[in-house]
Short mmCIF file of all heavy atoms in Angstrom, two decimals:
data_model
loop_
_atom_site.label_atom_id
_atom_site.label_comp_id
_atom_site.label_asym_id
_atom_site.label_seq_id
_atom_site.Cartn_x
_atom_site.Cartn_y
_atom_site.Cartn_z
N ALA A 1480 -4.67 -0.72 -75.40
CA ALA A 1480 -4.15 -1.95 -75.79
C ALA A 1480 -3.27 -2.69 -74.71
O ALA A 1480 -3.39 -3.80 -74.52
CB ALA A 1480 -3.34 -1.91 -77.09
N ARG A 1481 -2.44 -1.90 -74.03
CA ARG A 1481 -1.57 -2.40 -73.01
C ARG A 1481 -2.45 -2.94 -71.89
O ARG A 1481 -2.21 -4.06 -71.30
CB ARG A 1481 -0.59 -1.31 -72.50
CG ARG A 1481 0.49 -1.73 -71.67
CD ARG A 1481 1.45 -0.80 -71.28
NE ARG A 1481 0.90 0.78 -71.25
CZ ARG A 1481 1.11 1.71 -72.10
NH1 ARG A 1481 1.81 1.44 -73.31
NH2 ARG A 1481 0.70 2.89 -71.98
N GLN A 1482 -3.49 -2.23 -71.53
CA GLN A 1482 -4.47 -2.61 -70.41
C GLN A 1482 -5.11 -4.00 -70.87
O GLN A 1482 -5.11 -4.90 -70.07
CB GLN A 1482 -5.51 -1.58 -70.15
CG GLN A 1482 -6.46 -2.04 -68.99
CD GLN A 1482 -5.72 -2.29 -67.70
OE1 GLN A 1482 -5.36 -1.33 -67.03
NE2 GLN A 1482 -5.53 -3.42 -67.25
N LEU A 1483 -5.67 -4.05 -72.05
CA LEU A 1483 -6.36 -5.26 -72.50
C LEU A 1483 -5.22 -6.43 -72.42
O LEU A 1483 -5.60 -7.56 -72.04
CB LEU A 1483 -6.85 -5.11 -73.97
CG LEU A 1483 -7.92 -4.14 -74.05
CD1 LEU A 1483 -8.30 -3.86 -75.52
CD2 LEU A 1483 -9.23 -4.64 -73.32
N SER A 1484 -3.98 -6.28 -72.98
CA SER A 1484 -3.02 -7.24 -72.88
C SER A 1484 -2.63 -7.62 -71.54
O SER A 1484 -2.53 -8.89 -71.19
CB SER A 1484 -1.69 -6.70 -73.54
OG SER A 1484 -1.79 -6.50 -74.89
N ASP A 1485 -2.52 -6.73 -70.50
CA ASP A 1485 -2.40 -6.98 -69.05
C ASP A 1485 -3.47 -7.92 -68.64
O ASP A 1485 -3.31 -8.83 -68.00
CB ASP A 1485 -2.34 -5.80 -68.22
CG ASP A 1485 -0.93 -4.98 -68.54
OD1 ASP A 1485 -0.06 -5.59 -69.17
OD2 ASP A 1485 -0.91 -3.76 -68.07
N TRP A 1486 -4.81 -7.57 -68.89
CA TRP A 1486 -5.86 -8.40 -68.45
C TRP A 1486 -5.80 -9.78 -69.07
O TRP A 1486 -6.13 -10.75 -68.43
CB TRP A 1486 -7.23 -7.71 -68.78
CG TRP A 1486 -7.59 -6.52 -67.89
CD1 TRP A 1486 -7.21 -6.44 -66.58
CD2 TRP A 1486 -8.27 -5.44 -68.18
NE1 TRP A 1486 -7.70 -5.23 -66.16
CE2 TRP A 1486 -8.51 -4.58 -67.06
CE3 TRP A 1486 -8.94 -5.07 -69.44
CZ2 TRP A 1486 -9.11 -3.48 -66.98
CZ3 TRP A 1486 -9.66 -3.84 -69.36
CH2 TRP A 1486 -9.76 -3.10 -68.18
N SER A 1487 -5.32 -9.89 -70.33
CA SER A 1487 -5.27 -11.20 -71.01
C SER A 1487 -4.32 -12.11 -70.35
O SER A 1487 -4.44 -13.30 -70.48
CB SER A 1487 -5.00 -11.01 -72.43
OG SER A 1487 -3.63 -10.66 -72.63
N ARG A 1488 -3.32 -11.61 -69.60
CA ARG A 1488 -2.32 -12.39 -68.96
C ARG A 1488 -2.70 -12.77 -67.44
O ARG A 1488 -1.87 -13.39 -66.80
CB ARG A 1488 -0.96 -11.71 -69.14
CG ARG A 1488 -0.48 -11.64 -70.53
CD ARG A 1488 1.06 -11.25 -70.48
NE ARG A 1488 1.17 -9.76 -70.06
CZ ARG A 1488 1.07 -8.70 -70.79
NH1 ARG A 1488 0.67 -8.96 -72.20
NH2 ARG A 1488 1.24 -7.57 -70.32
N LEU A 1489 -3.92 -12.29 -67.07
CA LEU A 1489 -4.27 -12.71 -65.70
C LEU A 1489 -4.30 -14.30 -65.63
O LEU A 1489 -4.99 -14.81 -66.34
CB LEU A 1489 -5.60 -12.08 -65.29
CG LEU A 1489 -5.71 -10.56 -65.11
CD1 LEU A 1489 -7.14 -10.17 -65.10
CD2 LEU A 1489 -4.82 -10.14 -63.90
N PRO A 1490 -3.51 -14.89 -64.78
CA PRO A 1490 -3.46 -16.30 -64.77
C PRO A 1490 -4.83 -17.02 -64.37
O PRO A 1490 -4.98 -18.14 -64.82
CB PRO A 1490 -2.33 -16.62 -63.68
CG PRO A 1490 -2.20 -15.45 -62.75
CD PRO A 1490 -2.72 -14.30 -63.71
N ASP A 1491 -5.70 -16.34 -63.72
CA ASP A 1491 -6.85 -16.97 -63.36
C ASP A 1491 -8.18 -16.36 -63.93
O ASP A 1491 -9.22 -16.53 -63.34
CB ASP A 1491 -7.03 -16.98 -61.77
CG ASP A 1491 -6.95 -15.57 -61.18
OD1 ASP A 1491 -6.63 -14.63 -61.87
OD2 ASP A 1491 -7.29 -15.46 -60.04
N LEU A 1492 -8.05 -15.75 -65.04
CA LEU A 1492 -9.08 -15.09 -65.68
C LEU A 1492 -10.10 -16.14 -66.20
O LEU A 1492 -9.75 -17.05 -66.91
CB LEU A 1492 -8.73 -14.18 -66.94
CG LEU A 1492 -9.77 -13.43 -67.61
CD1 LEU A 1492 -10.45 -12.47 -66.70
CD2 LEU A 1492 -9.13 -12.81 -68.83
N GLN A 1493 -11.32 -16.18 -65.64
CA GLN A 1493 -12.32 -17.09 -66.09
C GLN A 1493 -13.42 -16.62 -67.03
O GLN A 1493 -13.87 -17.35 -67.92
CB GLN A 1493 -13.10 -17.57 -64.83
CG GLN A 1493 -12.18 -18.19 -63.87
CD GLN A 1493 -11.63 -19.54 -64.33
OE1 GLN A 1493 -12.23 -20.38 -64.92
NE2 GLN A 1493 -10.19 -19.59 -64.21
N ARG A 1494 -13.64 -15.33 -66.91
CA ARG A 1494 -14.71 -14.81 -67.88
C ARG A 1494 -14.63 -13.24 -67.95
O ARG A 1494 -14.07 -12.64 -67.03
CB ARG A 1494 -16.11 -15.17 -67.39
CG ARG A 1494 -16.56 -14.49 -66.06
CD ARG A 1494 -17.63 -15.21 -65.24
NE ARG A 1494 -17.32 -16.52 -64.91
CZ ARG A 1494 -16.55 -16.85 -63.86
NH1 ARG A 1494 -16.01 -15.95 -63.02
NH2 ARG A 1494 -16.31 -18.14 -63.52
N VAL A 1495 -15.19 -12.75 -68.94
CA VAL A 1495 -15.33 -11.31 -69.15
C VAL A 1495 -16.86 -11.09 -69.43
O VAL A 1495 -17.47 -11.49 -70.27
CB VAL A 1495 -14.59 -10.76 -70.35
CG1 VAL A 1495 -14.83 -9.21 -70.45
CG2 VAL A 1495 -13.05 -11.04 -70.27
N ILE A 1496 -17.35 -10.26 -68.36
CA ILE A 1496 -18.80 -9.89 -68.56
C ILE A 1496 -18.89 -8.42 -69.24
O ILE A 1496 -18.20 -7.51 -68.74
CB ILE A 1496 -19.39 -9.83 -67.09
CG1 ILE A 1496 -19.41 -11.18 -66.48
CG2 ILE A 1496 -20.94 -9.35 -67.26
CD1 ILE A 1496 -20.06 -11.23 -65.07
N VAL A 1497 -19.67 -8.56 -70.29
CA VAL A 1497 -19.76 -7.14 -71.12
C VAL A 1497 -21.20 -6.66 -70.98
O VAL A 1497 -22.14 -7.49 -70.85
CB VAL A 1497 -19.31 -7.39 -72.50
CG1 VAL A 1497 -17.77 -7.71 -72.70
CG2 VAL A 1497 -20.18 -8.50 -73.19
N SER A 1498 -21.39 -5.36 -71.14
CA SER A 1498 -22.61 -4.81 -71.14
C SER A 1498 -23.51 -5.15 -72.33
O SER A 1498 -24.72 -5.16 -72.32
CB SER A 1498 -22.65 -3.36 -71.00
OG SER A 1498 -22.01 -2.97 -69.73
N HIS A 1499 -22.76 -5.41 -73.43
CA HIS A 1499 -23.48 -5.62 -74.73
C HIS A 1499 -23.11 -6.98 -75.36
O HIS A 1499 -22.07 -7.18 -75.76
CB HIS A 1499 -23.15 -4.58 -75.71
CG HIS A 1499 -23.38 -3.12 -75.30
ND1 HIS A 1499 -24.81 -2.69 -75.29
CD2 HIS A 1499 -22.64 -2.23 -74.78
CE1 HIS A 1499 -24.67 -1.42 -74.79
NE2 HIS A 1499 -23.49 -1.19 -74.46
N GLY A 1500 -24.08 -8.01 -75.05
CA GLY A 1500 -23.86 -9.29 -75.59
C GLY A 1500 -23.67 -10.37 -74.50
O GLY A 1500 -23.82 -10.15 -73.29
N ASP A 1501 -23.16 -11.40 -75.01
CA ASP A 1501 -23.04 -12.57 -74.13
C ASP A 1501 -21.64 -12.55 -73.29
O ASP A 1501 -20.73 -11.93 -73.72
CB ASP A 1501 -22.88 -13.94 -74.98
CG ASP A 1501 -24.23 -14.16 -75.70
OD1 ASP A 1501 -25.30 -13.77 -75.17
OD2 ASP A 1501 -24.18 -14.68 -76.77
N ILE A 1502 -21.75 -13.20 -72.10
CA ILE A 1502 -20.40 -13.35 -71.38
C ILE A 1502 -19.41 -13.95 -72.17
O ILE A 1502 -19.73 -15.07 -72.82
CB ILE A 1502 -20.81 -14.11 -70.10
CG1 ILE A 1502 -21.73 -13.23 -69.18
CG2 ILE A 1502 -19.55 -14.49 -69.27
CD1 ILE A 1502 -22.30 -13.95 -68.00
N ILE A 1503 -18.27 -13.62 -72.06
CA ILE A 1503 -17.17 -14.27 -72.74
C ILE A 1503 -16.57 -15.26 -71.77
O ILE A 1503 -15.78 -14.82 -70.80
CB ILE A 1503 -16.13 -13.26 -73.22
CG1 ILE A 1503 -16.79 -12.25 -74.05
CG2 ILE A 1503 -14.94 -13.89 -73.96
CD1 ILE A 1503 -15.88 -11.01 -74.36
N ALA A 1504 -16.87 -16.50 -71.87
CA ALA A 1504 -16.37 -17.46 -70.97
C ALA A 1504 -15.41 -18.45 -71.41
O ALA A 1504 -14.61 -19.09 -70.75
CB ALA A 1504 -17.66 -18.28 -70.33
N ASN A 1505 -15.36 -18.57 -72.79
CA ASN A 1505 -14.45 -19.46 -73.50
C ASN A 1505 -13.33 -18.64 -74.08
O ASN A 1505 -13.62 -17.81 -74.82
CB ASN A 1505 -15.20 -20.31 -74.60
CG ASN A 1505 -16.14 -21.23 -73.98
OD1 ASN A 1505 -15.92 -21.80 -72.86
ND2 ASN A 1505 -17.25 -21.36 -74.64
N ASP A 1506 -12.09 -18.89 -73.72
CA ASP A 1506 -10.96 -18.22 -74.35
C ASP A 1506 -10.92 -16.69 -74.15
O ASP A 1506 -10.66 -15.91 -74.94
CB ASP A 1506 -10.88 -18.45 -75.83
CG ASP A 1506 -10.70 -19.93 -76.13
OD1 ASP A 1506 -9.91 -20.57 -75.38
OD2 ASP A 1506 -11.26 -20.40 -77.05
N ALA A 1507 -11.43 -16.28 -72.86
CA ALA A 1507 -11.44 -14.76 -72.48
C ALA A 1507 -10.09 -14.18 -72.79
O ALA A 1507 -10.01 -13.07 -73.29
CB ALA A 1507 -11.98 -14.69 -71.11
N ALA A 1508 -9.13 -14.83 -72.33
CA ALA A 1508 -7.83 -14.29 -72.43
C ALA A 1508 -7.35 -14.03 -73.97
O ALA A 1508 -6.87 -13.06 -74.26
CB ALA A 1508 -6.71 -15.11 -71.76
N ASP A 1509 -7.61 -15.09 -74.59
CA ASP A 1509 -7.32 -14.95 -76.19
C ASP A 1509 -8.05 -13.79 -76.86
O ASP A 1509 -7.49 -13.12 -77.64
CB ASP A 1509 -7.61 -16.30 -76.91
CG ASP A 1509 -6.64 -17.42 -76.40
OD1 ASP A 1509 -5.56 -17.14 -75.86
OD2 ASP A 1509 -6.98 -18.61 -76.68
N GLY A 1510 -9.32 -13.66 -76.46
CA GLY A 1510 -10.19 -12.58 -76.97
C GLY A 1510 -9.57 -11.20 -76.69
O GLY A 1510 -9.43 -10.33 -77.56
#
């Protein structure tokens, strides 16, 4: 959870690419 929170605070996070499903491009940090 701490790691996910740290990633969510990256100031320039644009997207999260996951192996299963669609790229998370909208509100990646919020997710």
Side-chain angles (χ1 to χ4, degrees):
R1481 192 171 35 253
Q1482 180 64 76
L1483 293 170
S1484 292
D1485 289 349
W1486 284 330
S1487 77
R1488 290 190 298 274
L1489 291 169
D1491 58 348
L1492 180 66
Q1493 298 298 310
R1494 71 200 59 80
V1495 178
I1496 298 175
V1497 295
S1498 293
H1499 303 284
D1501 296 328
I1502 292 172
I1503 305 165
N1505 296 323
D1506 302 320
D1509 290 342

